[in-house]
Amino acid sequence: MRIVVTGMGVVSPAGCSVASFWKSVCEGRSCFRAISRFPVSDFQFTRAGEITDFQWPSDLGPAPEDWASRFVMAAAREAVHDAALAGMQGTGVVLATNFGGVGAASDFMAWALGRKDGNGGTFPELSFQIAADRVAQVWNFRGPRLVISLSCASGASAIAQAADLIRAGRARSVIAGGYDALSPFAWAGLSVLRTMSRDAVRPFDLRRDGTIFSEGAGVLAVEEMEFARARGAHIYAELLGYGMNNNAFHMTAPAKEGAGTAAVMRAALRDAGIGPSDIDHINAHGTGTKSNDVTETQAIKAVFGEHARRIPITSIKSSLGHMMGAAGSVEAIASLLTLRDGIIPPTINYEHPDPECDLDYVTNTARKADVRLVLSNSAGIGGCNTALIFKGAWR
Amino acid sequence: MKDRKAVVTGIGIICAAGAGREALREALRKPAPLTADAGLRLPAGLVRNFDIREYIETEKGYLDRTSQLAFAGMSLALEDANLSREDVQKAEAGLFLGTAFGNHQTIALFFEDLLAKGPRFVKPILFPHAYSNTTISLLAMEYGLTGWHVNFASGGISGAAAILSAFDLIRTGRLDMALAGGVDSLTEMLVAGLQAEKLVSSNPCKPFDAARDGFNPGEACVVLVLEEGERARRRGARALADVLGAGLASMNKGQERSPAENAMYRAMESALASGGATPDMLVASANGSPLRDEAEWKAVAALAERMPGLNMTSLKPLFGETFGAEGPLQVAAAIECLGEGIVPPALNLERQLGAPPLPIVSETAKAPAGARALVNSFDDGGSAVSILLGKPS
């Protein structure tokens, strides 16, 4: 059974549509600004990829209080329209997130703590499934509905899980993607993880000093190929294979020499039925932390051998930031657009080569490249890894 | 795609009835409603006399209660299946866990510090323990499980979705062994939220009763060992049940106009169709909630003709509503029922909510379990899972 992508939607600090997002990351425009949604004067870190130009689509009905739900509903709307899935009520919904509605649920927790500024009415936001219910409700989608949570591998995992439902014969079309929003809770936690940079994300650069977190949603329409063809849907790409695994090593540190990342890329290649030399671009996890970029580089070398040096690699986190639960799905969308347009967006802020990161990174400006097969890597806290492999539809 | 068989070869359970399968069987043989908890001041299915040191040998500086219960469930499951840590590593077992509220106690502790002391004085150790996937990832680390790894945060169907996913991967030949289950823990904060939403009853819950007024909250972790049938036979594993079929469907508020649009109806129909058989008993998801019980009642009524001789029950009065653990707990209970040959009554039922009455087992009747059981799991947002089990063939 073959799985294809027929629609995409993005809400991001680089733009609240696929087109504006793609233009921004290809131009390598940095998206970071001082957080304005909540007071940050007490925080160690104050700059993030906050979305400031978001407009709630009024045809979705009243906006939910929770920002994360708003982002994913708006991104789903773009993907549903793009794929022309409205009216296909057997469609499933698979979303993934790190923090779900904890932003709104914080008001419930404040209420439970007896604070006057609390609001007990936001309790239902504690269950992450509510965002999928909201998305499904808009189009009366009645297929399989799941929310999974695998830290920063979430967005990519939603796509893999959607494909699994299709492979198991449980759905023929699924709206799948990741989402997350900035909130005081998440920001306080991410600040103490000691993985953040104060000024810029510099993936693979010698002087990289951390990532910067962003918010938003990336949503894809994933379908069984014959179903998509029969209804005349536009096909962007085929999801050729994927892998999901765990390092089983440490809650926050990457596995030694990227063992888990290497294993998940191998699993994806095996699932796709292709060899390492077939991959001609990697959209890296590339967080810009000291440890991720070197272990990811080691993992790529371990899997691809000599071919590793011939694979152009990029990290759009350099300009876009790390969109948490949305990162993997937004990077999957960037991968699909690379297949479509033959353009690899740049890894910006690259100045000082790191001898330990010595592969072909697409630095500072976008590169034209004839990409047939792309692999997108994601990883997250707890040691979760996911790799997706896409093949351009017209190849 | 040739379908392979998936069998359950181990059950790890910790719930209001206690730890282990014998405690579960005892609760099913002598069903008794939950009593009021002194702290929560309402009937609740709390896990009591729980000591994490019985289930874990490594050092742990911090563990949320949800993660603690999961360590117990996992340890009990492997013990029951006679599998060592090395065995599950060698089998490249996949890990599938579901949790509705995750490590919410840790989220609240971290948030309380944030409010009281400010962001620079929070406890760094708490945050990595506050993720929804913290529990499953800690289990992977503890047991060295580097394979398939999915954490379902799908509300009430979380644990059932974990079992369904593992079942799908085994039957389609992509996995030979899976550890699949669900976990949720109770805190005063969670109960306060449920009360604010008017979801819980202050009395023993009355599933399917006309006068039902909410559920009794509970906590549990249940982990099942699922194996490909042939592989289980080769290693000499004792099969407890066959997983015959499973269904997953959803519905939306205000958009259900016929039984065929009801998620529970479609989930059950799909489980029966994929299993190619009809059940002799049904463990309902009904928990005493006005809406959930009515939706399930309608769904079962619409399918009643296709399930002749059915005996159905709700076990929520025994264990409470355990959210993400609901599905796995009910699967475990159904397996024990098939083994023991009994269907426990739905307690506290005086007058069924609709007519004609459904074949719900009363407290005075003795009902045979038969050979096959259907288990329902539901999330109040509109998602449903149904799993069909059979006595081992």
Side-chain angles (χ1 to χ4, degrees):
Chain A
M1 187 180 292
R2 297 172 71 177
I3 315 281
V4 296
V5 179
T6 57
M8 302 184 284
V10 171
V11 169
S12 79
C16 293
S17 68
V18 169
S20 57
F21 153 79
W22 185 233
K23 184 169 185 289
S24 177
V25 293
C26 284
E27 289 171 358
R29 274 194 299 218
S30 184
C31 298
F32 309 116
R33 49 182 74 88
I35 292 173
S36 63
R37 191 167 308 135
F38 50 89
V40 285
S41 53
D42 281 351
F43 285 83
Q44 289 184 75
F45 301 90
T46 56
R47 281 162 66 77
E50 184 184 65
I51 298 172
T52 53
D53 62 347
F54 178 73
Q55 286 181 327
W56 174 250
S58 57
D59 57 320
L60 294 180
E65 191 177 331
D66 183 54
W67 281 98
S69 276
R70 289 186 206 177
F71 294 153
V72 74
M73 289 172 79
R77 175 179 176 271
E78 189 182 15
V80 169
H81 289 179
D82 189 24
L85 272 176
M88 310 298 287
Q89 294 184 338
T91 298
V93 176
V94 177
L95 302 182
T97 181
N98 283 0
F99 301 114
V102 78
S106 294
D107 294 342
F108 158 72
M109 290 192 284
W111 169 84
L113 290 167
R115 286 174 59 110
K116 287 200 182 78
D117 56 353
N119 173 9
T122 64
F123 169 74
E125 305 285 348
L126 267 190
S127 171
F128 292 178
Q129 182 81 345
I130 197 168
D133 294 338
R134 285 172 173 148
V135 167
Q137 179 87 33
V138 174
W139 295 278
N140 196 16
F141 289 147
R142 297 197 297 249
R145 189 186 301 170
L146 296 170
V147 173
I148 60 177
S149 185
L150 288 165
S151 58
C152 296
S154 287
S157 305
I159 299 165
Q161 188 67 32
D164 274 343
L165 288 172
I166 296 171
R167 284 182 174 182
R170 300 198 177 279
R172 291 184 296 181
S173 53
V174 179
I175 288 297
Y179 68 99
D180 262 312
L182 296 170
S183 68
F185 172 86
W187 198 249
L190 296 167
S191 297
V192 298
L193 284 181
R194 298 181 184 279
T195 57
M196 264 203 279
S197 168
R198 280 177 209 284
D199 60 340
V201 187
R202 304 174 182 82
F204 308 109
D205 186 281
L206 183 65
R207 297 189 187 172
R208 66 187 181 276
D209 67 346
T211 199
I212 299 181
F213 289 97
S214 296
E215 62 181 353
V219 175
L220 293 83
V222 182
E223 296 186 57
E224 194 269 310
M225 187 172 74
E226 291 311 318
F227 180 74
R229 279 192 174 154
R231 66 182 195 89
H234 169 74
I235 293 172
Y236 285 99
E238 180 176 359
L239 175 60
L240 216 54
Y242 45 91
M244 294 166 83
N245 76 359
N246 190 273
N247 294 338
F249 176 68
H250 191 268
M251 274 311 280
T252 53
K256 283 177 188 137
E257 293 168 357
T261 305
V264 86
M265 288 192 285
R266 286 194 183 103
L269 290 169
R270 209 162 43 237
D271 189 40
I274 58 171
S277 59
D278 293 321
I279 294 293
D280 36 27
H281 168 48
I282 293 175
N283 189 301
H285 185 55
T287 55
T289 61
K290 278 281 177 213
S291 54
N292 176 83
D293 297 359
V294 66
T295 52
E296 190 172 6
T297 297
Q298 287 166 345
I300 292 169
K301 288 180 186 171
V303 173
F304 294 92
E306 270 308 298
H307 182 62
R309 299 185 188 284
R310 293 191 288 272
I311 303 175
I313 298 166
T314 198
S315 168
I316 61 170
K317 289 190 178 79
S318 56
S319 59
L320 181 67
H322 186 330
M323 286 175 66
M324 307 186 279
S329 53
V330 167
E331 288 159 20
I333 289 170
S335 301
L336 296 173
L337 295 168
T338 290
L339 290 172
R340 184 188 72 180
D341 296 348
I343 296 171
I344 299 173
T347 303
I348 66 166
N349 305 319
Y350 188 87
E351 292 174 37
H352 306 93
D354 177 350
E356 288 193 281
C357 298
D358 54 351
L359 295 175
D360 178 18
Y361 310 107
V362 177
T363 56
N364 299 327
T365 53
R367 186 191 297 179
K368 282 190 178 167
D370 183 28
V371 177
R372 295 159 301 138
L373 282 159
V374 54
L375 183 149
S376 181
N377 266 337
S378 293
I381 205 165
C384 307
N385 303 299
T386 300
L388 307 169
I389 295 174
F390 294 103
K391 181 183 178 189
W394 51 92
R395 305 285 178 178
Chain B
M1 189 161 60
K2 188 181 173 293
D3 269 17
R4 309 188 310 164
K5 205 169 84 170
V7 299
V8 179
T9 58
I11 296 172
I13 179 165
I14 184 157
C15 66
R21 291 177 58 200
E22 185 46 40
L24 170 63
R25 282 193 291 264
E26 190 60 16
L28 296 169
R29 284 185 211 119
K30 297 175 191 158
L34 294 168
T35 51
D37 177 72
L40 297 171
R41 293 182 300 280
L42 45 79
L46 289 165
V47 174
R48 295 173 206 279
N49 308 317
F50 172 56
D51 187 344
I52 182 65
R53 287 172 296 189
E54 292 174 27
Y55 303 102
I56 191 168
E57 287 170 12
T58 56
E59 297 164 20
K60 289 281 173 278
Y62 178 83
L63 277 180
D64 187 278
R65 183 165 176 85
T66 296
S67 294
Q68 290 189 27
L69 293 174
F71 271 98
M74 182 81 165
S75 163
L76 290 163
L78 295 186
E79 188 187 331
D80 189 49
N82 194 23
L83 288 167
S84 69
R85 185 176 184 273
E86 290 67 33
D87 292 335
V88 289
Q89 285 174 8
K90 212 188 299 173
E92 297 177 17
L95 189 53
F96 304 82
L97 199 68
T99 179
F101 298 107
N103 296 291
H104 71 273
Q105 186 176 24
T106 305
I107 294 177
L109 283 173
F110 186 81
F111 188 69
E112 190 173 358
D113 266 357
L114 174 62
L115 288 181
K117 301 175 193 162
R120 284 175 290 119
F121 300 94
V122 292
K123 292 187 190 71
I125 190 169
L126 293 180
F127 189 68
H129 284 270
Y131 280 70
S132 175
N133 67 293
T134 299
T135 305
I136 188 175
S137 298
L138 285 170
L139 291 179
M141 252 184 275
E142 186 74 12
Y143 289 92
L145 294 171
T146 57
W148 218 288
H149 186 90
V150 189
N151 177 57
F152 294 87
S154 307
I157 63 161
S158 297
I163 294 174
L164 177 134
S165 288
F167 166 64
D168 278 348
L169 292 167
I170 289 174
R171 76 185 167 92
T172 56
R174 295 164 71 207
L175 203 58
D176 289 331
M177 183 189 284
L179 303 156
V183 60
D184 263 303
S185 62
L186 270 190
T187 60
E188 281 188 23
M189 181 185 83
L190 192 67
V191 172
L194 298 168
Q195 283 177 316
E197 292 291 307
K198 299 187 170 35
L199 294 170
V200 295
S201 174
S202 47
N203 301 302
C205 68
K206 307 168 128 206
F208 292 122
D209 194 281
R212 68 199 181 281
D213 64 350
F215 61 78
N216 302 144
E219 61 183 357
C221 176
V222 180
V223 176
L224 305 176
V225 180
L226 292 169
E227 292 182 70
E228 190 273 314
E230 194 49 36
R231 184 202 159 82
R233 197 186 56 78
R234 275 203 310 273
R235 83 165 175 97
R238 164 211 53 180
L240 300 172
D242 295 347
V243 184
L244 301 173
L248 168 63
S250 66
M251 60 186 173
N252 298 296
K253 285 192 180 71
Q255 293 173 330
E256 181 205 343
R257 283 171 292 270
S258 71
E261 289 179 318
N262 180 305
M264 290 204 232
Y265 175 93
R266 284 183 291 120
M268 284 191 282
E269 193 180 42
S270 164
L272 300 186
S274 65
T278 54
D280 304 302
M281 64 170 285
L282 188 155
V283 179
S285 179
N287 59 12
S289 296
L291 292 175
R292 178 187 300 210
D293 293 18
E294 189 185 342
E296 189 170 24
W297 191 90
K298 279 184 190 167
V300 176
L303 269 175
E305 277 185 14
R306 289 156 67 178
M307 300 189 285
L310 184 76
N311 285 307
M312 64 184 283
T313 190
S314 164
L315 303 175
K316 297 290 166 74
L318 279 63
F319 305 111
E321 173 52 60
T322 56
F323 313 102
E326 174 204 31
L329 196 163
Q330 305 205 148
V331 166
I335 291 171
E336 301 296 1
C337 287
L338 291 176
E340 300 274 300
I342 48 153
V343 185
L347 298 182
N348 312 326
L349 177 62
E350 288 164 24
R351 189 164 60 87
Q352 273 199 41
L353 61 91
L358 293 178
I360 302 171
V361 179
S362 73
E363 293 183 48
T364 52
K366 282 243 182 284
R372 284 179 297 274
L374 190 65
V375 174
N376 285 347
S377 178
F378 190 66
D379 179 75
D380 290 327
S383 305
V385 173
S386 195
I387 296 169
L388 184 65
L389 304 156
K391 278 187 169 180
S393 53

